[in-house]
């Protein structure tokens, strides 16, 4: 049976390349070459996979509009495991994207049983983190965004039960709330395009969220009035559900085009020009004109105890409101890539590349590449032992968290100001 990635139970990360291949996720390398500047999360191999990222990279390079959206389930306090996706959003906003954050309170309430009060207070913590990192843009809670509900309803007309079974492995016992959570997330992903108009939209996520991307890409396509396809020497515009007048409008927009029943063929124009014009016509006839969303996939920062960073294993995470003493203790007792004996480690060095302590530095604690490679070198050459290395890392983590907390306090008002809005 084909494997499914289930967003609620799977703990992926072991064999990310195999999953990429199976689900058609492409490596980030080729499209990222269009970026004027490579962010550290790509150059350090943290963000590794993508779908249609080329569109986003060209939008950054050409300074054309694009959106960036992600969502957070407010089912607990934010911690270091959430930071990567936040930084990806902020970087893309700083590079020209219009930013959107969904607080997935409906999902947290329906799937995890979190009370609405807790959803609201956890949600605010996530937003404080984002603003502390420099986010600007729009934010909303799923439960309060009326246009989102309408979009979810519209999207639901394009999915049937067999797709839910195939993508998520749902069974006859699956409650309706799971399906509502899924279709609400589909609406999240398309929301920036109904809020600010069609444009390429980047959704940075962990691989566990890819099922939602696959589903949304299918729905975005089904919600289009037209399919625009490159053929041998011409571009074909096919009506799916377009009113007949809209197809005539396409015909009229391109002189020399030929109209058949259900499609118009256009010669002598590049695909991009035709598809943009068709999108405009679709919009003028009340259609959505969606771009299919793009996505990036990052590796997960390992928990301090080895597995994933997860609130359900308190020793695995570093939270933003933990005391210095608690943080220090966690880092000092973390699992490492060290050898069983000091003699062995001196002789053959540690395994930095899989060591949770090293990866903490690589993901978030050391911004300078030369410093990071020095830390790695001291480990693999057996120059430094784990005790000392953890001590140095703990100092970095404490400095980082202190500074981050301060910044979170400074941006508190931004979260409160937003609270008055109806989305
Ligand atoms: N389901 C996501 C999670 O479990 C949260 C989420 C909700 C989301 N809406 C989204 C993620 C839209 C990306 C895009 O964390
Ligand atoms: Fe990890 Fe540091 Fe030990 Fe190397 S020396 S294995 S990086 S803790």
């Amino acid at each position: 049976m084909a494997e499914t990635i289930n967003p609620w139970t799977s703990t992926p990360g072991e064999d990310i390349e195999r999953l990429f291949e199976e689900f058609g996720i492409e490596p980030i390398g080729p499209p990222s070459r269009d970026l004027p500047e490579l962010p550290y999360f790509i150059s350090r191999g943290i963000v590794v996979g993508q779908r249609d990222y080329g569109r986003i990279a060209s939008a950054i390079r050409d300074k054309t509009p694009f959106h960036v959206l992600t969502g957070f389930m407010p089912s607990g306090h934010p911690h270091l495991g959430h930071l990567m996706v936040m930084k990806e959003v902020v970087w893309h906003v700083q590079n020209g994207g219009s930013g959107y954050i969904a607080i997935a309170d409906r999902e947290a309430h329906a799937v995890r049983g979190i009370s609405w009060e807790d959803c609201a207070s956890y949600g605010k913590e996530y937003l404080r983190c984002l603003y502390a990192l420099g986010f600007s843009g729009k934010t909303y809670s799923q439960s309060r965004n009326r246009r989102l509900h309408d979009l979810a309803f519209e999207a639901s007309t394009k999915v049937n039960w067999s797709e839910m079974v195939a993508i998520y492995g749902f069974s006859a016992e699956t409650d309706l709330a799971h399906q509502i959570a899924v279709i609400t997330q589909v609406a999240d992903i398309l929301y920036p395009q109904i809020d600010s108009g069609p444009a390429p939209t980047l959704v940075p996520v962990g691989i566990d969220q890819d099922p939602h991307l696959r589903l949304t890409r299918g729905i975005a396509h089904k919600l289009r009035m037209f399919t625009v396809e490159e053929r041998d020497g011409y571009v074909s515009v096919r009506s799916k559900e377009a009113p007949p007048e809209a197809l005539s409008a396409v015909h009229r927009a391109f002189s020399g085009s030929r109209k058949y029943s259900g499609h118009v063929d256009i010669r002598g124009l590049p695909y991009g020009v035709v598809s943009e014009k068709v999108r405009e016509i679709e919009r003028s006839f009340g259609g959505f004109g969606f771009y299919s969303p793009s996505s990036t996939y990052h590796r997960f920062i390992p928990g301090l105890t080895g597995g994933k960073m997860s609130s359900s294993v308190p020793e695995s995470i570093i939270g933003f409101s933990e005391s210095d003493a608690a943080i220090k203790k966690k880092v000092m007792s973390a699992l490492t890539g060290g050898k069983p004996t000091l003699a062995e480690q001196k002789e053959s060095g540690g395994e930095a590349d899989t060591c949770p302590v090293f990866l903490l530095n690589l993901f978030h604690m050391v911004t300078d590449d030369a410093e990071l490679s020095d830390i790695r070198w001291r480990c693999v050459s057996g120059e430094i032992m784990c005790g000392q290395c953890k001590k140095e890392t703990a100092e970095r983590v404490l400095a980082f968290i202190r500074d981050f907390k301060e910044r979170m306090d400074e941006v508190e008002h931004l979260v409160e100001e937003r609270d008055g809005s109806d989305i």
Side-chain angles (χ1 to χ4, degrees):
M1 195 187 127
E3 191 166 347
T4 59
I5 311 176
N6 181 321
W8 297 285
T9 58
S10 54
T11 47
E14 300 83 48
D15 197 352
I16 203 165
E17 278 78 19
R18 196 180 48 76
L19 282 175
F20 280 5
E21 205 164 294
E22 176 150 1
F23 291 102
I25 296 172
E26 302 284 333
I28 192 90
S32 70
R33 282 181 208 123
D34 276 344
L35 292 172
E37 170 214 344
L38 211 56
Y40 88 93
F41 47 75
I42 296 181
S43 62
R44 290 188 184 177
I46 300 170
V47 170
V48 280
Q50 51 90 19
R51 291 185 191 273
D52 274 344
Y53 188 70
R55 277 182 191 163
I56 304 296
S58 348
I60 293 175
R61 185 198 54 201
D62 303 339
K63 303 197 185 320
T64 53
F66 72 99
H67 309 303
V68 52
L69 169 136
T70 199
F72 296 95
M73 186 154 51
S75 56
H77 298 290
H79 56 69
L80 225 46
H82 301 110
L83 208 57
M84 184 41 62
V85 121
M86 293 182 179
K87 287 182 173 176
E88 280 188 75
V89 172
V90 170
W91 187 88
H92 283 92
V93 167
Q94 287 167 346
N95 281 274
S98 59
Y100 285 84
I101 296 295
I103 296 299
D105 58 347
R106 282 198 157 176
E107 183 179 6
H109 185 73
V111 177
R112 295 276 160 84
I114 310 295
S115 74
W116 294 112
E117 291 71 27
D118 285 351
C119 283
S121 74
Y122 289 141
K124 283 184 183 178
E125 287 183 39
Y126 279 89
L127 294 176
R128 276 168 61 210
C129 291
L130 280 149
Y131 287 123
L133 290 167
F135 174 78
S136 68
K138 297 194 178 179
T139 69
Y140 63 81
S141 300
Q142 286 176 334
S143 67
R144 295 171 64 186
N145 187 341
R146 176 61 211 270
R147 283 193 298 154
L148 184 81
H149 307 163
D150 290 346
L151 180 56
F153 183 76
E154 203 68 41
S156 76
T157 65
K158 303 294 178 196
V159 205
N160 65 30
W161 181 243
S162 349
E163 282 170 285
M164 291 302 229
V165 173
I167 297 180
Y168 298 99
F170 282 175
S171 74
E173 277 71 44
T174 307
D175 54 57
L176 268 177
H178 268 80
Q179 300 181 63
I180 293 178
V182 165
I183 208 70
T184 305
Q185 181 154 347
V186 167
D188 284 334
I189 294 171
L190 296 174
Y191 182 73
Q193 301 195 62
I194 62 158
D195 187 60
S196 327
T201 304
L202 174 65
V203 187
V205 285
I207 176 105
D208 60 316
Q209 299 296 305
D210 187 52
H212 300 303
L213 265 303
R214 272 182 275 139
L215 178 66
T216 309
R217 286 163 63 88
I219 292 177
H221 178 72
K222 288 181 195 157
L223 286 170
R224 291 290 313 262
M225 285 178 176
F226 297 104
T227 311
V228 186
E229 280 167 346
E230 183 120 56
R231 294 283 165 78
D232 205 14
Y234 65 101
V235 179
S236 163
V237 180
R238 255 172 208 287
S239 161
K240 294 192 295 174
E241 291 186 1
E245 313 83 68
L247 190 64
S248 305
V250 170
H251 176 47
R252 279 198 311 278
F254 300 102
S255 61
S257 66
R258 292 190 142 207
K259 185 165 178 291
Y260 304 89
S261 85
H263 67 113
V264 170
D265 289 348
I266 297 139
R267 284 178 191 277
L269 280 177
Y271 172 84
V273 172
V274 174
S275 70
E276 284 318 298
K277 186 71 198 163
V278 169
R279 197 184 311 278
E280 212 176 278
I281 295 169
E282 177 171 325
R283 295 270 290 164
S284 72
F285 280 87
F288 291 112
F290 287 136
Y291 284 82
S292 155
S294 306
S295 46
T296 50
Y297 304 88
H298 60 85
R299 292 180 192 276
F300 287 100
I301 185 170
L304 297 176
T305 46
K308 205 176 158 185
M309 268 203 189
S310 157
S311 309
S312 54
V313 186
E315 296 310 308
S316 73
I317 63 168
I318 293 177
F320 301 122
S321 45
E322 290 190 63
S323 71
D324 283 11
I327 292 174
K328 189 152 190 193
K329 183 155 173 257
K330 285 187 189 183
V331 177
M332 291 311 292
S333 37
L335 186 84
T336 71
K339 296 286 156 65
T341 67
L342 284 184
E344 241 179 284
Q345 188 155 345
K346 277 192 184 133
E347 175 66 31
S348 58
E351 313 263 329
D353 298 333
T354 51
C355 169
V357 177
F358 180 68
L359 291 169
L360 204 52
N361 289 303
L362 180 139
F363 269 68
H364 298 299
M365 300 306 154
V366 176
T367 46
D368 185 65
D369 284 340
E371 189 185 345
L372 187 72
S373 66
D374 184 54
I375 295 172
R376 186 174 176 282
W377 176 246
R378 286 198 290 151
C379 168
V380 299
S381 65
E383 193 182 309
I384 190 172
M385 298 295 111
C386 295
Q388 178 62 21
C389 180
K390 288 203 254 191
K391 220 162 121 198
E392 291 175 14
T393 303
E395 287 308 318
R396 285 185 208 109
V397 177
L398 289 179
F400 174 86
I401 299 282
R402 277 188 213 125
D403 174 64
F404 197 58
K405 272 186 194 162
E406 226 167 81
R407 282 192 279 156
M408 281 174 76
D409 289 342
E410 283 164 17
V411 297
E412 176 109 43
H413 64 284
L414 295 173
V415 178
E416 299 305 326
E417 277 161 22
R418 160 205 171 269
D419 210 32
S421 75
D422 62 352
I423 62 159

